[in-house]
Amino acid sequence: MRWALVRVSLAVTVMVVLAFAVPLGLVVKELARDRAFADAERQAAQIRPALAITTDREQLERAVASSQAGGDGRLAVHVPGNDGTRQGAGPDARGARGPHEAYDIGRRRADPRDVETARRGRSAVTSVPGGYALLQPTALSTGEFAVVEVYVPHRAVGNGVTTSWVILAGVGLGLIAGSLATADRLGLRLVRPAERLAKAAAELGEGKLGVRVREAGPPELRAAAVAFNSMADKIVQLLSHERELAADLSHRLRTPLTVLRLNAASLGEGPAAEQTRAAVAQLEREVDQLICAAREQGERKERPSLGCDACEVIRERMDFWSALAEDQGRAVRLAGVDTTVRVPVARPELVAALDAMLGNVFRHTPEGTAFAVDVHRSEDAVIVLVSDAGAGIADPDAALRRGHGDGGPGSTGLGLDIVRRVAESTGGDVRIGRSVLGGTEVRVWLSLGGTGKPRRRERRRRMRSRRSGPDTGRDAAG
């Protein structure tokens, strides 16, 4: 916007300057020309009295030499010949010394034909080498016309024009510079509040909930800043209420968990009792983490995630789920978890994502269905594949939509949405396809760059391919 205003101001100012400066420059040139020829006419008029009383060459030469133009060599007089027939005929003929031939006083520059034309009583201006010649006819006592020629050089015609043009150009450039400076300041006054608003919106989108915009600038931008600050305050308030609600709901689970723990303690010994007690202990830890996260999220400052070892988390969760898989007769394959692979995901979040994917396998495939977990590492990403030999998912895109699907009793439809949010928090994504085992393959792509921005191309692809209708396969979002 700033540069657009500057360009518009530049174009308008240049047009205005040209509209006034060009005609004014031409007027200055014409005034200089008129001034030069008016001066030449005055120089010619100084010789007229002498020509009116005499045609004597010596007297005329003295008259020419006494004038300014004659002294500069710019004045010439062309006197026609006289046969003496009117000699002594009266006072008009005094000063004539008998018949004489035509003669010139001073340097002739004009063409003889132009001089002869001027002798007919018509003034003329003709071009000569180096300038112009003013031919002024003057009546003699004999009835003939002498021609006074005044030479006007080009420098006299253009005297002061260049200086005037330079001054006009300087004034025009000054106006243009002033207009550009004014437009730039005006654009800056408009752009800076908009830039602050855009920056604040970006920071708010990154999770900096304390960002606010200074209410400055034009009225429209001030109103936008007020609306943005009000929206940010509302978001903070809603998130605070959400955190309090999550903490309260998690705290309410303590009582039934305590009952479960006491009942599990009375089950005695055996694998089933140990598994039940381990599950209750794990559930208690998860509830404690939810409460701590909900309480601390509103106070902690934004800091980089320390991440966790993905292979360690996967091995731990597979140990937990393998016992249930053994009871149900499921073949389990685990690959690629022998090394340390750190990902920019908090451990509780990765545990929740893995439990969601593995829980879907147990919930939506029959007992005895095999499944596998594979981990692949590249330079910039970690890929976790969870595959099964079940019936597959009829609508993968719908399964990724939050709360979609009918997973049966106990299904919230949020399982794969949790996985998707974990992946997109790193800049990765989630894809559902057909596995080599014949069933569903959930591919989780975790970026190691930690950009926190989901892959837009994949999101656009999902939006284009999003369809409505019932999900006839198993609900992987349960």
Side-chain angles (χ1 to χ4, degrees):
M1 183 186 297
R2 179 180 178 184
W3 294 115
L5 288 174
V6 169
R7 288 193 296 267
V8 170
S9 178
L10 175 63
V12 172
T13 307
V14 168
M15 288 189 294
V16 171
V17 168
L18 290 178
F20 284 93
V22 171
L24 190 57
L26 296 177
V27 169
V28 168
K29 183 178 179 180
E30 281 300 316
L31 288 176
R33 178 186 176 91
D34 293 343
R35 184 176 61 248
F37 284 107
D39 182 69
E41 290 178 356
R42 286 194 300 271
Q43 297 294 330
Q46 294 178 5
I47 306 300
R48 286 182 178 177
L51 289 172
I53 60 176
T54 183
T55 58
D56 182 70
R57 183 165 188 165
E58 293 180 359
Q59 294 181 13
L60 291 178
E61 287 178 348
R62 286 195 298 269
V64 170
S66 63
S67 65
Q68 180 182 356
D72 295 338
R74 297 188 295 109
L75 182 62
V77 179
H78 308 293
V79 181
N82 182 13
D83 57 5
T85 56
R86 299 186 62 185
Q87 179 70 22
D92 293 337
R94 69 179 182 274
R97 296 184 178 180
H100 61 80
E101 296 181 354
Y103 61 89
D104 297 330
I105 300 175
R107 178 184 174 185
R108 176 197 293 267
R109 290 182 175 84
D111 188 91
R113 289 174 296 182
D114 295 329
V115 174
E116 289 300 324
T117 301
R119 280 202 176 104
R120 299 189 182 97
R122 289 180 296 180
S123 300
V125 176
T126 180
S127 296
V128 298
Y132 302 91
L134 174 66
L135 302 177
Q136 191 76 22
T138 302
L140 302 176
S141 59
T142 60
E144 300 289 338
F145 283 93
V147 177
V148 179
E149 176 185 339
V150 181
Y151 171 64
V152 182
H154 285 306
R155 65 176 180 274
V157 174
N159 185 26
V161 174
T162 302
T163 303
S164 300
W165 284 2
V166 169
I167 294 174
L168 287 175
V171 172
L173 291 176
L175 290 175
I176 293 174
S179 174
L180 293 181
T182 303
D184 182 70
R185 299 306 301 175
L186 178 61
L188 195 61
R189 183 172 177 267
L190 294 175
V191 168
R192 278 186 175 174
E195 290 178 344
R196 288 195 296 266
L197 184 60
K199 183 180 178 181
E203 292 178 353
L204 184 64
E206 294 173 358
K208 299 179 181 179
L209 301 181
V211 65
R212 296 295 183 272
V213 181
R214 183 164 60 91
E215 299 171 6
E220 294 81 2
L221 292 177
R222 287 201 300 271
V226 171
F228 176 86
N229 293 336
S230 176
M231 177 191 67
D233 293 337
K234 188 65 174 179
I235 290 175
V236 171
Q237 182 181 3
L238 291 175
L239 289 177
S240 177
H241 291 168
E242 182 182 357
R243 285 192 296 268
E244 292 297 330
L245 179 61
D248 183 64
L249 292 176
S250 300
H251 193 273
R252 292 181 183 181
L253 294 176
R254 286 185 179 275
T255 299
L257 281 176
T258 302
V259 176
L260 286 176
R261 181 166 54 81
L262 295 175
N263 291 338
S266 63
L267 292 177
E269 301 298 332
E274 292 299 328
Q275 292 177 9
T276 301
R277 282 190 285 268
V280 172
Q282 175 66 23
L283 187 56
E284 283 186 321
R285 287 194 297 270
E286 294 294 340
V287 170
D288 291 339
Q289 290 177 355
L290 284 175
I291 295 174
C292 294
R295 294 297 186 186
E296 295 176 0
Q297 188 174 3
E299 300 176 359
R300 67 187 179 185
K301 300 296 182 181
E302 184 179 358
R303 56 180 181 268
S305 176
L306 299 178
C308 64
D309 182 2
C311 293
E312 178 186 356
V313 173
I314 292 173
R315 289 195 301 267
E316 176 186 321
R317 300 316 299 158
M318 285 300 294
D319 289 341
F320 174 80
W321 289 100
S322 295
L324 181 59
E326 184 178 353
D327 292 342
Q328 295 185 0
R330 298 176 183 267
V332 180
R333 180 173 59 83
L334 181 63
V337 295
D338 299 331
T339 60
T340 299
V341 179
R342 297 200 65 83
V343 293
V345 178
R347 183 185 182 88
E349 295 179 2
L350 184 58
V351 169
L354 287 170
D355 285 346
M357 291 186 289
L358 295 173
N360 282 339
V361 174
F362 284 88
R363 185 179 299 111
H364 300 295
T365 60
E367 295 186 6
T369 303
F371 69 94
V373 178
D374 299 277
V375 179
H376 301 278
R377 168 72 186 272
S378 65
E379 294 182 358
D380 60 348
V382 173
I383 300 176
V384 180
L385 300 176
V386 178
S387 309
D388 63 58
I393 299 178
D395 193 349
D397 292 323
L400 290 172
R401 294 204 296 269
R402 181 176 178 86
H404 181 83
D406 182 13
S411 174
T412 61
L414 301 179
L416 280 187
D417 182 72
I418 295 174
V419 180
R420 178 182 57 80
R421 285 190 289 108
V422 170
E424 290 183 352
S425 68
T426 69
D429 62 9
V430 178
R431 292 184 182 180
I432 299 177
R434 180 68 62 176
S435 72
V436 295
L437 299 179
T440 300
E441 177 185 87
V442 181
R443 171 189 173 277
V444 182
W445 190 87
L446 302 175
S447 173
L448 299 181
T451 60
K453 297 179 181 179
R455 299 176 68 185
R456 296 180 181 178
R457 184 176 62 183
E458 177 64 18
R459 176 169 287 183
R460 288 196 298 266
R461 185 190 67 79
R462 294 188 192 131
M463 293 296 293
R464 287 195 299 267
S465 61
R466 186 170 291 176
R467 302 186 300 272
S468 60
D471 185 3
T472 57
R474 75 173 175 86
D475 179 15

